[in-house]
Amino acid sequence: NFMLTQPHSVSESPGKTVTISCTRSSGNIASNYVQWYQQRPGSSPTTVIYEDHHRPSGVPDRFSGSIDISSNSASLTISGLKTEDEADYYCQSYDGRGVFGGGTKLTVL
Amino acid sequence: QVQLVESGGGVVQPGGSLRLSCAASGFTFSTFGMHWVRQAPGKGLEWVAVISYDGSNKYYADSLKGRFTISRDNSKNTLYLQMNSLRAEDTAVYYCGKDTGITMLRGAFDYWGQGTLVTVSS
């Protein structure tokens, strides 16, 4: 089975843009959908991106997802950062077994 | 609106059993696959198991070694997780999640429940 590797933490200022990467260890990143989940402290996860780039209703278009085959990675980009975006973000994929990345703590300061 | 409500968590001794439930509403439960995911205290998310819309296909994390069983009752709009031979390392919040695929598994979650805490301790 493959692994998904994320940076442990990232930080950026309000109003700026941040990108969180998720690198697949083996197999093609495009072979299976990639999702991104947001988890604020003390709360359950919520979906911000599913099936590589789709946003659930209610998720602002400041959140976008993409796939880069050349680096075998997926990315979550959040533009116009707000303090409420501060949370843990997890990437996830599935090939008959679910796989989560280790999570990235986003600090907006 | 879609709602997923887990229940059945609690404190159990090592070696004991517990059955979790996830009551679903706001969508046609019988046409979507469902997942269980857990999160140990202070740790990341760990995928546990998935069941297809009709219950005919079930897949588990290798680490569970046959101790857990996922099932569903479409007449009751409810998902279950039977957990046996529980260990201290099974202590976690357990979440259910709805798959995005209609009558097929896509392995993507669009909705999550609020979670139920399982504590394995003597």
Side-chain angles (χ1 to χ4, degrees):
Chain A
N1 219 355
F2 61 91
M3 295 190 302
L4 297 172
T5 300
Q6 303 178 231
H8 185 257
S9 63
V10 295
S11 62
E12 191 49 271
S13 303
K16 299 292 189 180
T17 297
V18 69
T19 297
I20 300 172
S21 63
C22 172
T23 302
R24 179 166 169 159
S25 62
S26 61
N28 191 333
I29 189 72
S31 297
N32 309 102
Y33 290 124
V34 176
Q35 286 62 238
W36 290 92
Y37 307 110
Q38 177 192 70
Q39 187 177 35
R40 296 189 175 105
S43 297
S44 59
T46 61
T47 303
V48 292
I49 295 290
Y50 68 96
E51 295 175 13
D52 296 343
H53 60 89
H54 295 283
R55 278 188 310 277
S57 59
V59 175
D61 60 5
R62 300 185 297 106
F63 290 81
S64 63
S66 63
I67 299 293
D68 182 357
I69 294 176
S70 65
S71 60
N72 213 36
S73 65
S75 294
L76 171 69
T77 299
I78 310 171
S79 60
L81 274 170
K82 301 183 177 183
T83 55
E84 68 202 47
D85 298 331
E86 189 161 290
D88 292 327
Y89 291 85
Y90 295 90
C91 61
Q92 176 262 331
S93 192
Y94 175 86
D95 69 344
R97 302 288 189 276
V99 178
F100 282 93
T104 298
K105 181 177 180 59
L106 169 63
T107 302
V108 182
L109 38 66
Chain B
Q1 72 281 18
V2 172
Q3 277 201 313
L4 300 172
V5 180
E6 301 93 336
S7 61
V11 179
V12 61
Q13 291 189 340
S17 298
L18 211 55
R19 189 177 82 156
L20 307 182
S21 300
C22 168
S25 60
F27 65 102
T28 307
F29 180 74
S30 61
T31 61
F32 289 92
M34 296 292 295
H35 300 255
W36 285 101
V37 172
R38 68 183 181 181
Q39 186 171 35
K43 302 298 185 182
L45 300 173
E46 178 186 14
W47 181 81
V48 171
V50 63
I51 186 168
S52 60
Y53 72 101
D54 60 356
S56 61
N57 293 296
K58 306 173 185 181
Y59 304 100
Y60 299 91
D62 293 340
S63 61
L64 297 179
K65 296 182 180 177
R67 297 184 297 120
F68 291 11
T69 302
I70 190 171
S71 62
R72 64 191 298 159
D73 186 338
N74 285 345
S75 68
K76 296 182 178 179
N77 288 352
T78 303
L79 173 73
Y80 302 101
L81 185 67
Q82 177 67 43
M83 305 185 295
N84 298 329
S85 303
L86 283 163
R87 307 165 180 171
E89 54 264 37
D90 295 318
T91 294
V93 175
Y94 286 74
Y95 299 100
C96 61
K98 172 185 166 293
D99 196 276
T100 59
I102 299 176
T103 67
M104 62 179 290
L105 288 172
R106 293 194 171 188
F109 302 66
D110 52 3
Y111 292 95
W112 297 68
Q114 87 290 347
T116 187
L117 176 62
V118 172
T119 302
V120 184
S121 173
S122 54

